[in-house]
Amino acid sequence: MKYKRLTALVLVIAVLFSFCSCDTLNQFFENDLDAESRIDSDDLISHFIDVGQGDSEFIELPDGKTMLIDAGTREGGNNTIRLIKKLGYRKIDYLIGTHPHSDHIGGLADVIKAFDIGTIYMPDAETQTSTYEYLLKTIKNKNKKIKKAKAGMRIISSEEFDYSADILAPVSDSYESLNNYSVVIMLRYKNRRLLYMGDAEALAEKELADNNTDLSADVVKVGHHGSNSSSSDAFVKKTGASYAVISVGKDNDYYHPHSKIVKRWKNAGASVLRTDLCGNITICTDGNAISVKCEKQEA
Ligand SMILES: [Zn+2]
């Protein structure tokens, strides 16, 4: 009898855990689930945070570690801090500042103050802005150092969870445009791949192609807010992406994203998701299936 009860209990737990796939995401955002239950899931969840005109992606990795790529402007970065806290995390294991423009690194100093920080990656590119200098000072005050990001570096590889994070760019040592210094990251979880382009432009895309880098990806965080400086035809086709995410502010001064670029991704077969229309965009995968959630509308 006792044995039967135990079997029943195991079955109930197994059923509960079978729902702990991407479904937990909806439950969490509908406030039915506490943060700890959410963290227990081994899905990979990428949050493309609505920081207005800027970029910020927070990634919950399958082993419970976390990665943050950029944190928008100083003002926009408050949304990043709020979301990470809501999700229940206290530590960012891998922090990446793609390049030293204020719409990417402006919010990083406050993020660094708010959380425990693991390894910080940034490209070997400097600028004299007060935003950049404030970030350097904050990193120093926290007794942290910056690891210079370069193509070919591996951030993490987990055999146990079958995932990896690799730095694909910058390929060269120096560029005219700061955008081309962007740290480009490929995340792989089992059979799925997510590519984060920062503000990399056509030149950096071509370097990746010339390098014979495998650019195939299910999800691409489109380079440079959908500007026509990036997303060259050859690059878009090479990715074969199902989802193209554009991080962009509503009615921004730069007219991002460019309609031609949006069309290019769509014509290549990708669903285009925009933070100015969706708010926060959440993409979840168990390594095979992918689900997408838009804060403001159904994707
Ligand atoms: Zn930018």
Side-chain angles (χ1 to χ4, degrees):
M1 191 66 183
K2 265 186 187 170
Y3 178 75
K4 271 190 181 168
R5 270 191 200 159
L6 188 67
T7 311
L9 184 67
V10 169
L11 264 177
V12 168
I13 290 171
V15 169
L16 276 176
F17 271 91
S18 72
F19 285 109
C20 281
S21 64
C22 292
D23 290 344
T24 51
L25 195 66
N26 293 330
Q27 292 174 40
F28 177 77
F29 284 104
E30 281 150 21
N31 293 322
D32 291 340
L33 203 66
D34 60 69
E36 280 193 12
S37 315
R38 166 60 216 92
I39 288 170
D40 278 344
S41 143
D42 61 359
D43 295 326
L44 184 148
I45 304 176
S46 182
H47 302 267
F48 300 85
I49 306 166
D50 178 13
V51 288
Q53 181 64 17
D55 251 34
S56 183
E57 297 93 39
F58 179 70
I59 300 132
E60 302 176 69
L61 296 163
D63 56 0
K65 289 189 173 163
T66 59
M67 178 182 287
L68 179 69
I69 305 173
D70 292 334
T73 59
R74 188 156 191 199
E75 192 195 352
N78 290 325
N79 293 353
T80 299
I81 293 172
R82 206 174 303 128
L83 180 79
I84 298 172
K85 284 188 173 165
K86 185 183 174 191
L87 292 167
Y89 290 97
R90 294 200 182 126
K91 182 171 182 186
I92 297 166
D93 295 281
Y94 312 103
L95 182 76
I96 293 110
T98 58
H99 65 295
H101 274 153
S102 61
D103 57 327
H104 295 253
I105 60 153
L108 279 180
D110 289 339
V111 165
I112 289 167
K113 287 181 184 169
F115 300 100
D116 288 343
I117 303 294
T119 316
I120 302 174
Y121 293 89
M122 285 182 72
D124 194 5
E126 297 197 341
T127 176
Q128 257 95 50
T129 62
S130 56
T131 307
Y132 181 64
E133 274 155 19
Y134 178 58
L135 173 60
L136 293 187
K137 205 171 114 194
T138 308
I139 291 171
K140 201 174 165 208
N141 287 345
K142 192 108 176 180
N143 284 323
K144 304 296 297 181
K145 287 213 164 85
I146 297 172
K147 243 186 173 170
K148 303 280 187 195
K150 198 92 214 321
M153 285 171 77
R154 173 151 269 190
I155 296 175
I156 185 164
S157 170
S158 165
E159 263 183 47
E160 189 188 350
F161 288 88
D162 195 8
Y163 85 95
S164 57
D166 289 292
I167 294 176
L168 306 188
V171 171
S172 298
D173 291 331
S174 69
Y175 297 95
E176 247 175 63
S177 159
L178 268 185
N179 287 339
N180 281 325
Y181 283 93
S182 286
V183 181
V184 171
I185 293 179
M186 179 69 84
L187 262 180
R188 180 196 62 80
Y189 182 32
K190 294 178 184 167
N191 299 314
R192 297 293 162 215
R193 289 156 65 89
L194 298 89
L195 178 61
Y196 300 83
M197 293 300 294
D199 275 358
E201 299 181 352
L203 172 73
E205 293 171 357
K206 190 175 177 306
E207 282 186 327
L208 286 170
D210 290 348
N211 237 359
N212 287 325
T213 309
D214 182 1
L215 295 170
S216 61
D218 302 283
V219 178
V220 175
K221 200 297 292 173
V222 172
H224 200 199
H225 321 282
S227 150
N228 66 351
S229 65
S230 310
S231 300
S232 59
D233 207 22
F235 170 79
V236 169
K237 284 188 183 133
K238 267 205 166 74
T239 68
S242 304
Y243 298 99
V245 181
I246 299 176
S247 188
V248 74
K250 215 178 184 101
D251 303 324
N252 63 80
D253 296 338
Y254 310 95
Y255 303 104
H256 291 160
H258 198 292
S259 56
K260 191 173 82 183
I261 299 302
V262 172
K263 210 182 264 175
R264 187 173 289 167
W265 283 101
K266 282 185 179 167
N267 288 344
S271 298
V272 173
L273 304 158
R274 299 166 46 161
T275 54
D276 59 336
L277 303 177
C278 284
N280 292 340
I281 297 163
T282 316
I283 294 188
C284 175
T285 180
D286 59 6
N288 290 300
I290 294 180
S291 67
V292 176
K293 190 171 167 60
C294 262
E295 187 185 21
K296 290 183 193 162
Q297 65 180 37
E298 286 306 310

